[in-house]
Amino acid sequence: MPLSLLFLFICDCVGTHIVNGLENGLARKPPMGWMPFERFRCVTDCSRFPKDCISERLMRRTANLLVSEGYAAAGYRYLIIDDCWMEASRDKATHELLPSEDRFPSGMRDLGNYIHNKGLLFGIYHDLGEKTCMFHGPGAARHFNLDAQTFANWGVDYVKMDGCFASEIELDRGYPEFGRALNKTGRPMVYSCSWPFYKAQPDFKLIAKHCNLWRFADDIQDSVASVTNIMKQYSKSQIELTTHAGPGRWNDPDMLVLGNYHLSYDASRLQLAIWAVIAAPLIMTNDLESVRPEIKELLLNRDIISVNQDPLGQPGHKVLTSQNIQVWIRPVTPVSNFGKNSFAIAFVNLGGFAVCPLCPQIYQVQLHRLGLNSRRGYNVMDLFNRSHNLGLYTPKDTFNTRINPEGVTFYKFTVFPSN
Ligand code: GLA
């Protein structure tokens, strides 16, 4: 079947919500991988910062580490170059985009081959407007078909399309048009759009028709304040955001900053748990050579990854706030013979309580208040420690948890009986 036929806007019924969406067959589960921006920014001076500059050396080093450290096997397969990879101008004769000659001397096709030979997938950054966000190279304006074809020639599998230096009208016209240009190449490429980020009032229904992922919040920074701010932006629009997301189309709250300088161990757990609940892409930004062992263990936690990748494909949301405690829930598999699903539930302690702002807090709740109403109950497992099985709870039972400050506890409530 030609790819253009796969690109139909069809009804896809996921659980109880119905959405129209982009169907290019890709991103059936939230993509996982690595992207340099939050950690490596736009370092271009390779003579002074050889290990940190945006270069084929960094990408190859990361490709090797994704495989050798077990990240690829856990699912982190998209290796995505962010901004600052281009020369300042296009090729004078062909108008094609040019990678920096100093930093990508072997060229992008060669880098793509290297990445593919490692069993990984190759992503690249572009911008819909006149220039990229860091003013670093030409944007796609007036060159949509050429640039899409260039990416296809290089073996690109994922395009992060930013929206700097484009008007709102150009964004609304340009994102669908560039998506069609990608489709026309015949090469399947995940299409990640920053579209809503640049709109005063994003039309998520429209965006979900044209993109596999979309950035809806601020650029993430390496701090718990930034993580909780993005959580706030999500919960503010969560009805809309959850309605339009599902297999093939996901809300993107930006990269996982675990493994850098500023997140505590508890805050690292918090980001990972919430990104799993909301079915976010798990795109790390860190130096894989220096991720501390306990953080690496979090990033490779297969129980949490499988919540993120759950086949029901239903993103979760915040269901309850009690002072500075929040409860976030995602419906997941398995589903019982009676059609009741299981749940992943994150209990968040934002800190800031009057008496002791940075103490652990005890929280208790009767499960039916959270919508857990399967009468035969749920078997409860601690997702951060699978050997910690808490046994069976029925809807009338009270569940107790003690949550570290600026941290989370995270459990899977598996409906009983289920296979
Ligand atoms: C924007 C994006 C970031 C990153 C930078 C690169 O700010 O939101 O994720 O790609 O541009 O310039």
Side-chain angles (χ1 to χ4, degrees), residues 37 82-83 125 133-134 160 162 198 215 219 254-255:
F37 188 70
D82 209 293
D83 202 350
Y125 169 99
C133 288
M134 297 298 282
K160 170 177 176 177
D162 215 335
Y198 294 97
R215 281 278 309 279
D219 282 10
D254 212 0
M255 298 160 249

Side-chain angles (χ1 to χ4, degrees), residues 139-168:
R142 295 174 300 284
H143 296 87
F144 287 3
N145 287 319
L146 176 65
D147 292 354
Q149 192 54 52
T150 304
F151 292 158
N153 297 345
W154 289 346
V156 166
D157 306 294
Y158 177 122
V159 177
K160 170 177 176 177
M161 186 51 107
D162 215 335
C164 283
F165 307 110
S167 68
E168 289 212 15

Side-chain angles (χ1 to χ4, degrees), residues 59-67 79 114-115 118 120:
M59 301 310 286
R60 284 172 196 236
R61 174 163 80 84
T62 304
N64 298 345
L65 288 161
L66 280 171
V67 176
L79 178 50
Y114 187 88
I115 291 171
K118 292 257 151 203
L120 302 170

Side-chain angles (χ1 to χ4, degrees), residues 36-83:
F37 188 70
E38 195 290 324
R39 167 70 182 236
F40 295 94
R41 301 287 158 168
C42 193
V43 176
T44 52
D45 184 346
C46 292
S47 50
R48 278 196 297 159
F49 308 107
K51 278 189 81 180
D52 288 350
C53 65
I54 304 303
S55 63
E56 62 183 42
R57 177 176 169 177
L58 173 63
M59 301 310 286
R60 284 172 196 236
R61 174 163 80 84
T62 304
N64 298 345
L65 288 161
L66 280 171
V67 176
S68 64
E69 297 293 310
Y71 293 99
Y76 297 93
R77 290 185 64 217
Y78 284 97
L79 178 50
I80 304 153
I81 309 180
D82 209 293
D83 202 350

